[in-house]
Amino acid sequence: MKVMRLRKIWAEGTFAVLKREHKLNKIQNRDLQKATEECLLSAKALNLKRLVKAV
């Protein structure tokens, strides 16, 4: 139960940030390969932002 609560905090918050700041809510109009690439690039950008903030 505790793991699910932590997942809700960590994962769902990350998804919300990606949808809000990286416009991933508009991804449904793309084919699967382009959508996958965009998701991966957005995740990398978010991780880099968090790394810079941590350092």
Side-chain angles (χ1 to χ4, degrees):
M1 196 65 154
K2 186 176 180 180
V3 174
M4 290 302 288
R5 192 173 305 135
L6 289 176
R7 181 194 183 276
K8 190 178 205 180
I9 293 169
W10 292 333
E12 300 301 327
T14 300
F15 294 145
V17 169
L18 287 172
K19 287 193 293 185
R20 184 179 63 242
E21 295 181 7
H22 295 269
K23 308 291 188 234
L24 287 187
N25 54 353
K26 296 182 180 182
I27 207 161
Q28 62 193 7
N29 298 332
R30 298 185 176 95
D31 66 345
L32 184 59
Q33 183 179 0
K34 288 182 181 180
T36 303
E37 289 175 3
E38 186 167 351
C39 286
L40 290 174
L41 286 172
S42 294
K44 287 179 184 181
L46 182 63
N47 287 336
L48 284 173
K49 287 179 186 179
R50 290 179 176 174
L51 179 66
V52 167
K53 188 183 284 187
V55 173

